[in-house]
Structure formats: structure tokens, C-alpha cells
Amino acid sequence: MDSSDLYHVKQQFTLGAYKSLADLALPDASAPDHTSFVLYKARALIALGQAKAAEALIPEDTEAFPLKAARALAAAVDGDGDSDAALETLRDLCVEIDGEDLGAAEKWYVRVLAGTAFARAGEVEEALETLGVGSNKESLEAVSLVVQIYLSLARADLARREYQRALAWAEDDLLLQSIEAALGLATGADAYANSASYYTEQLGNPALSSSHLLTSRGVARLLRGEVHEARSDLEEVLKGADADDEEALGASVVVAGLGANKKGEADELFR
């Protein structure tokens, strides 16, 4: 069972509170959760486009397979590095873990990080195979990534099928709810009501700050025709520390273009 601190860290990652995790103070190296904390901090840095900082965070001689995979993922997405070599490292790690005495969670961390790198590199089939599409019954993170990949390919039908499969074995979980909200946002299920409600509920957590959630709710509100409320959410994101958030900027252009005499405002945001 995770400690309460690690549970909170995982919750923040699931909800896209990457900046909070990037500033996370790591526990002592002898602490049981130290490796997990380093892993989530590194993943948050990668999500924020700070691959070099993530790579520097992890010792080159680390023996922890999930950290090896995180370091390789950082190298794969770092525009200045040898991405092909990093992808080969991840392929090797996926083979190595099958011959190691590792827990299922550690093995899935490696596969999820490798699948992320493969998907980013355009190796979609390899990513899906690595993530155990159609056969995975252990990792919700892998399910979440598979759903994201399918949605990026405009295959909401396959994304929903993978989600439905997970319902047969996964316990009710924040990540499961997040997957459902993402599906709702992509497909318009229940007129986006469930997605909007989920994002509103999570934003009510006083211990959490996530521009990703706020942007997602803004998009859900926009799709529901709640233009004023959507504008408020998106303006809050862009007036904060995430003024360059691409998703929020894109949605703001749409909001600004709605209604009479709004073309000039939309053009200004587009620039």
C-alpha cells in the first residue's frame, strides 16, 4: 500500500498538476518511497518539456529499472539527444524486465514509459503492443495511455473498447474516472455533462492546482455552449503561471471568435 504522501503525488500526476510535482522536495535517499518520488518528479518535468532537467535528476548508474526507463524517455524526447539510441535502450529494458525478479508495478512502469516514448516517436503499433492492448489486466496507466493514443488517431471506438475492458478488472479509481472524462470530452457522451462534472469536482480540491484540469473544464463548458463560463476558466489559466499553455490558447481563440464583432479579438490571440 502506498504511503499517504505517495498517494498524493500519484493523484497530482493523474490530474496534471505537473508544476507542483516539478517543485517537489524529494525524501531522503534511504526512504522507501524515494524511487517513486524521483520517478514522478522526472515524469512531470518531461511533461513540462524539461527533459534535460528530468535526465539530470536521475543518476546515470541507477539500478532501478523504472528510473532507467524514465531517463531513457527523457533522452528520447530531448531534441538535442540521440533519440534512436534512447528508444533502443527502452526496447532492451522491456526485454530485460521479463528476466528480472521485479514486481508487476515496476514492470508496468517500464512498459508505460517505453510506450510513451514509442508513441511520441510515431511507432504506434509498437507502443500499443508494449502497453498490452487487449490483454492488460494490471495497469490502469497503460489503459489510459492506450486510450490517449486511440483518441489521437480519431478511433474513439477502440478507445472506449479498451476502457470497457478495464471496467471488468479495475477497481474504481481516480485514473479510471479520468479516462472516462477524457472519453466523454472526445465523444460528447451525455452532452459533455459527466466530463464537466468530473473536472469541477477535482478542481474543488484545495490541495491541488492544475491548469490542465481548468483548461479541460473550459473546453467541456465550451462544448456545452457555456461560453461565458468557458472564457472565465481559460482566462484564469492564461493569466496565471501557464500563460503559454497551448491547449488553453487554442480554446481561447475559439471562445474569442464566438459572437458578433469577435473576429479581431480572435485574430489577436491567434498571433
Side-chain angles (χ1 to χ4, degrees):
M1 182 179 293
D2 296 333
S3 68
S4 59
D5 287 340
L6 181 55
Y7 174 82
H8 182 59
V9 165
K10 288 185 175 182
Q11 181 187 52
Q12 286 184 303
F13 187 81
T14 296
L15 297 176
Y18 302 129
K19 290 202 170 181
S20 296
L21 292 178
D23 296 332
L24 182 70
L26 296 174
D28 186 86
S30 62
D33 291 338
H34 178 264
T35 295
S36 295
F37 272 70
V38 174
L39 179 63
Y40 279 100
K41 180 166 183 169
R43 294 175 71 185
L45 288 166
I46 293 170
L48 291 170
Q50 300 174 34
K52 282 187 171 62
E55 198 171 355
L57 180 67
I58 302 170
E60 191 172 355
D61 60 352
T62 181
E63 293 297 320
F65 278 86
L67 293 186
K68 289 181 181 181
R71 202 171 195 280
L73 171 60
V77 302
D78 177 10
D80 297 330
D82 187 344
S83 59
D84 289 339
L87 292 176
E88 282 303 316
T89 296
L90 287 163
R91 292 183 181 106
D92 290 343
L93 287 171
C94 287
V95 173
E96 285 182 51
I97 57 174
D98 286 335
E100 295 288 333
D101 185 20
L102 300 175
E106 288 181 278
K107 291 183 179 182
W108 276 111
Y109 278 137
V110 172
R111 292 179 186 128
V112 166
L113 293 167
T116 301
F118 299 152
R120 290 179 64 116
E123 303 291 346
V124 175
E125 289 188 14
E126 186 174 16
L128 293 173
E129 181 180 353
T130 301
L131 295 166
V133 64
S135 61
N136 165 30
K137 294 182 179 179
E138 296 178 303
S139 172
L140 268 180
E141 275 213 70
V143 172
S144 178
L145 186 50
V146 167
V147 167
Q148 291 176 49
I149 291 171
Y150 279 142
L151 290 179
S152 74
L153 299 173
R155 290 304 307 268
D157 57 327
L158 297 180
R160 180 161 291 282
R161 186 171 70 182
E162 195 69 10
Y163 166 71
Q164 293 289 348
R165 284 190 68 261
L167 290 178
W169 55 266
E171 297 180 4
D172 189 25
D173 180 275
L174 182 64
L175 184 52
L176 196 63
Q177 296 170 34
S178 178
I179 295 169
E180 183 178 15
L183 277 168
L185 203 59
T187 63
D190 300 311
Y192 308 101
N194 286 343
S195 298
S197 296
Y198 168 79
Y199 297 129
T200 297
E201 179 183 354
Q202 300 309 321
L203 285 165
N205 184 345
L208 182 76
S209 176
S210 171
S211 60
H212 169 74
L213 278 179
L214 199 54
T215 299
S216 296
R217 187 176 69 176
V219 171
R221 285 175 159 177
L222 176 60
L223 292 169
R224 285 176 56 79
E226 300 168 358
V227 178
H228 177 76
E229 293 82 355
R231 181 192 295 272
S232 176
D233 282 346
L234 297 169
E235 286 181 348
E236 186 175 342
V237 173
L238 297 176
K239 288 179 180 178
D242 296 297
D244 58 349
D245 185 284
E246 293 182 1
E247 291 183 353
L249 283 168
S252 291
V253 171
V254 176
V255 170
L258 295 175
N261 303 317
K262 293 296 183 180
K263 185 177 184 299
E265 186 179 345
D267 288 346
E268 183 64 28
L269 280 167
F270 188 73
R271 294 194 197 99

